[in-house]
Structure formats: structure tokens, C-alpha cells
Amino acid sequence: MGLRLLLVEDDGHTAGEVLRGMRERGHSVEHAEDVERAGALLETRPFDVIIVDRMLPDGDGLILIKRLRARENGTPALALTAMGRIADRVEGLKAGADDYLVKPFSLDELEARVEALARRVSAVRLVIGDLVLDRLTRTVHRGSTRIALMPREFQLLELLMASSPAVVTRTMLLERVWEFHFDPGTNLVEAHVSRLRSKIDRGGDPPLIHTVRGEGYVALAR
């Protein structure tokens, strides 16, 4: 399955080569020419990896990476730039970039690095629609909004997202989240799912947690 990439690059030739090459390789790529536009795109949808030029019309691309890290957004970022001195690389990595590739570059190497970054976070980052759960930082975001969850709510959401698109039964939730190996005969699960939905599906957002009558629950973007 292809990756969802955001390319932040103002040079038309470079952008065209990357867009064409990555799309031919099966990846979905959005393009922004400056920090402001990239920030707007990041507000509306999740990406697997961000590819960021440093010398942009409205500032250093590292500004974008720093803003993401300040909001505890751990989306992997690769700095793609002509600034190739050791000091430039160190600056980029300290700013929060996960990798640094100097121009000129080959598309094969770019794809290999991007895929390596995506693999690195796949075990700790769960994504459904615009909902992102980070197992490492224990944070949840829907779009750009951070959602505060209680520990049980986080466990419940984590199990639903990790199991998607499979349905998770009430029994499985009781065993995995509450460690109950019997049915307590209460609405414990239903009450927690209801509270979780009220936090996740606010403001008219499309619902992501669905009840499958007679079976259980599923986390799914429809």
C-alpha cells in the first residue's frame, strides 16, 4: 500500500520530479510551496511522512517541523535541501527532522528513506481517517486538535484502532481493557464507548467508532 506524503517544495522542477516519481511508485502526494500552505494541509489530514525543503519563500522549512514537534505531532519529517554542510544537517536533526537528504538526489534513495521512516513509526502510530494515536507519547489527535483521554479510554481506543477493520467484541474489550474474564453484568463497556465517542466525534466530524449490532464495535472511517 502506498504512503500518504506531503511535499513542501517551492522549486517547480524538483517538485515535479518528486510528485511524478512518487506517484508512479504508488504513493499519494500532496504538494505545498511554502510553510503556510503546508501548515494548512497538516491541519486537515494526516500524512505518513513529510518531505520538507529548507529554503522556502516564507522561511526555513525547519519552522514547520519545529511547530509540529511543539504540538507533539510525531509525523516523520525528511529535510530535502541543498544545504549540505555538517552544521546544516545537525541543525536539521536538532530541530526535529528524522532524516536529511541533500540535493541532488535519486528518487530511488528518496523513496527508500521515506519508506524506512514510515516503517519506523508504524508500530507506534495508529491512524484512521484524521484520527492519530501515538503509542509512544500516549497522545491522540483528530486533525490538529489534541484529545485528552483517561487511561481506560486510551486503552479502549488503542484496541479498536489496532484491530481495525475487524470488529472487537464486548468480551474482548472486557478481557483486554479491564482484565475481566467474566461478564460483570453492567453497562461498563457501553458507558466507556459512549464517553469515548463524545470526545472523538465532536464538532460534526464523521463518526469513527461504530456499533455492529449483535457483534461489538469497530473503528473505521466510512
Side-chain angles (χ1 to χ4, degrees), residues 7 12-27 29 107:
L7 172 65
H13 176 74
T14 300
E17 289 292 317
V18 174
L19 288 170
R20 181 168 53 255
M22 292 297 105
R23 287 169 178 167
E24 286 176 352
R25 288 163 167 80
H27 305 296
V29 191
L107 286 172

Side-chain angles (χ1 to χ4, degrees), residues 5 23 26 31 62 102 132 150 160 182 184 188 196 200 212 214 219:
L5 308 176
R23 287 169 178 167
H31 177 222
L62 296 183
V102 178
V132 180
M150 300 297 289
L160 289 170
F182 61 92
L188 181 67
L196 182 59
I200 297 298
V212 181

Side-chain angles (χ1 to χ4, degrees), residues 27-160:
H27 305 296
S28 171
V29 191
E30 295 279 350
H31 177 222
E33 295 183 348
D34 53 38
V35 172
E36 182 178 1
R37 173 60 179 159
L41 287 172
L42 287 162
E43 293 280 342
T44 62
R45 71 204 74 175
F47 293 93
D48 295 307
V49 179
I50 307 167
I51 304 169
V52 189
D53 185 21
R54 287 198 56 177
M55 295 181 286
L56 297 168
D58 55 350
D60 192 330
L62 296 183
I63 295 171
L64 178 67
I65 298 174
K66 288 178 180 178
R67 288 175 182 172
L68 289 176
R69 302 303 180 245
R71 296 200 300 264
E72 297 183 332
N73 185 322
T75 303
L78 181 147
L80 182 66
T81 176
M83 300 171 65
R85 299 178 306 157
I86 295 297
D88 296 324
R89 295 170 187 250
V90 171
E91 182 183 16
L93 295 172
K94 285 187 174 181
D98 300 278
D99 199 357
Y100 204 100
L101 183 59
V102 178
K103 299 175 181 178
F105 59 93
S106 79
L107 286 172
D108 287 340
E109 182 178 6
L110 175 61
E111 183 186 34
R113 287 174 179 253
V114 164
E115 290 179 341
L117 289 178
R119 285 195 302 272
R120 188 185 303 173
V121 300
S122 62
V124 299
R125 193 164 170 265
L126 302 174
V127 180
I128 294 179
D130 60 349
L131 181 66
V132 180
L133 181 148
D134 191 308
R135 286 167 158 164
L136 190 61
T137 61
R138 307 290 290 181
T139 56
V140 175
H141 287 80
R142 182 147 193 190
S144 62
T145 303
R146 179 169 177 176
I147 300 172
L149 298 180
M150 300 297 289
R152 293 285 191 201
E153 294 168 343
F154 186 93
Q155 286 180 269
L156 177 58
L157 181 61
E158 181 181 20
L159 178 55
L160 289 170

Side-chain angles (χ1 to χ4, degrees), residues 150-208:
M150 300 297 289
R152 293 285 191 201
E153 294 168 343
F154 186 93
Q155 286 180 269
L156 177 58
L157 181 61
E158 181 181 20
L159 178 55
L160 289 170
M161 293 181 72
S163 302
S164 181
V167 175
V168 182
T169 67
R170 187 174 184 276
T171 299
M172 289 171 61
L173 291 172
L174 285 169
E175 291 180 349
R176 298 278 294 278
V177 178
W178 285 274
E179 298 183 358
F180 286 172
H181 297 284
F182 61 92
D183 190 335
T186 68
N187 68 341
L188 181 67
V189 172
E190 293 76 9
H192 275 75
V193 170
S194 178
R195 284 198 296 270
L196 182 59
R197 279 176 169 151
S198 70
K199 294 182 178 182
I200 297 298
D201 300 333
R202 293 183 298 179
D205 292 324
L208 297 177

